[in-house]
Amino acid sequence: MTGFLDKAYGTKDPAATRRLYDDWAASYEAEIAENGYATPGRCAAALARFTSDKSAPILDFGCGTGLSGLALKLAGFSVIDGMDLSPEMLGEARKKDIYRVLSVVADTGAPVIPKGQYSAISAMGVIGSGAAPVQMLDNLMHALPRDGKCVFSINDNALRDPAYEARVMEWTDCGAARLLFREHGDHLPGIGMKSNVYVLEKA
């Protein structure tokens, strides 16, 4: 381990997170591959299971170096846009030639996601301690049209805080969304970490 992975769960604000991921960009894929990063494939497969039109544009939010976009492409999705906090990570993603558009998320305030533009939004390994706060789920869901789907993961580190699962249930308990899929499985097997993968459909 190079030391970036263990630091990733300790950042406390967007500026620090951006600096960490900018510094990590060049070695990110090697480090997480060494630890068997499984969540992108799991998320993409889950979303594909509930998607009839894989040619509709999808937003890969927190796309990083593009491993999540690659997983979506391999699952059959063909029009993928990416957003991320780190310009250096986006530079690595651009080399993969997977994305239609790549854009940087601002440090402050809620990200500007065009409402209703995407029938599906993915956030793989994005919501959790040291990354996007639990409130990010609200931003993603509000950007979806009716019947739009959000696939996301929450790792074991974050699941120790009941606020994360509670935020998912807030959407489903009031009928604002339907839980299509939830599965606990491998996240980073190399360090013994798992994650929940969810697919929510906006009501």
Side-chain angles (χ1 to χ4, degrees):
M1 192 180 300
T2 66
F4 282 107
L5 188 55
D6 53 350
K7 292 176 185 175
Y9 301 114
T11 56
K12 301 297 184 185
D13 61 75
T17 301
R18 183 194 293 264
R19 286 193 299 271
L20 173 75
Y21 281 92
D22 278 345
D23 292 343
W24 196 5
S27 62
Y28 175 81
E29 291 192 14
E31 183 173 354
I32 63 169
E34 180 182 317
N35 287 286
Y37 190 33
T39 291
R42 292 176 58 218
C43 284
L47 182 62
R49 177 176 164 184
F50 298 101
T51 303
S52 55
D53 181 9
K54 296 186 183 68
S55 66
I58 181 172
L59 176 64
D60 182 13
F61 184 83
C63 63
T65 62
L67 291 178
S68 47
L70 180 59
L72 289 166
K73 183 177 181 180
L74 291 172
F77 296 94
S78 57
V79 183
I80 309 166
D81 293 345
M83 293 181 75
D84 198 85
L85 188 70
S86 164
E88 293 297 326
M89 287 277 187
L90 289 174
E92 296 297 318
R94 194 166 286 110
K95 296 174 185 177
K96 291 182 172 59
D97 198 27
I98 292 168
Y99 296 97
R100 180 180 65 171
V101 176
L102 286 167
S103 53
V104 179
V105 180
D107 269 351
T108 55
V112 180
I113 303 172
K115 287 194 174 184
Q117 184 168 316
Y118 300 101
S119 60
I121 297 175
S122 70
M124 306 181 191
V126 172
I127 299 171
S129 51
V134 66
Q135 295 86 350
M136 184 59 65
L137 178 60
D138 298 341
N139 296 333
L140 301 178
M141 292 298 293
H142 286 310
L144 286 170
R146 185 175 182 180
D147 298 327
K149 296 171 183 68
C150 183
V151 61
F152 60 99
S153 63
I154 300 176
N155 67 37
D156 284 346
N157 259 357
L159 288 171
R160 293 189 190 100
D161 180 348
Y164 287 89
E165 274 275 276
R167 187 58 60 104
V168 177
M169 295 305 103
E170 282 178 20
W171 276 91
T172 58
D173 288 352
C174 71
R178 294 174 284 272
L179 179 64
L180 301 181
F181 183 88
R182 177 173 59 197
E183 179 187 72
H184 193 239
D186 284 341
H187 178 58
L188 288 164
I191 59 171
M193 185 179 291
K194 296 192 173 188
S195 66
N196 275 353
V197 166
Y198 307 80
V199 179
L200 288 181
E201 182 177 64
K202 191 172 180 180

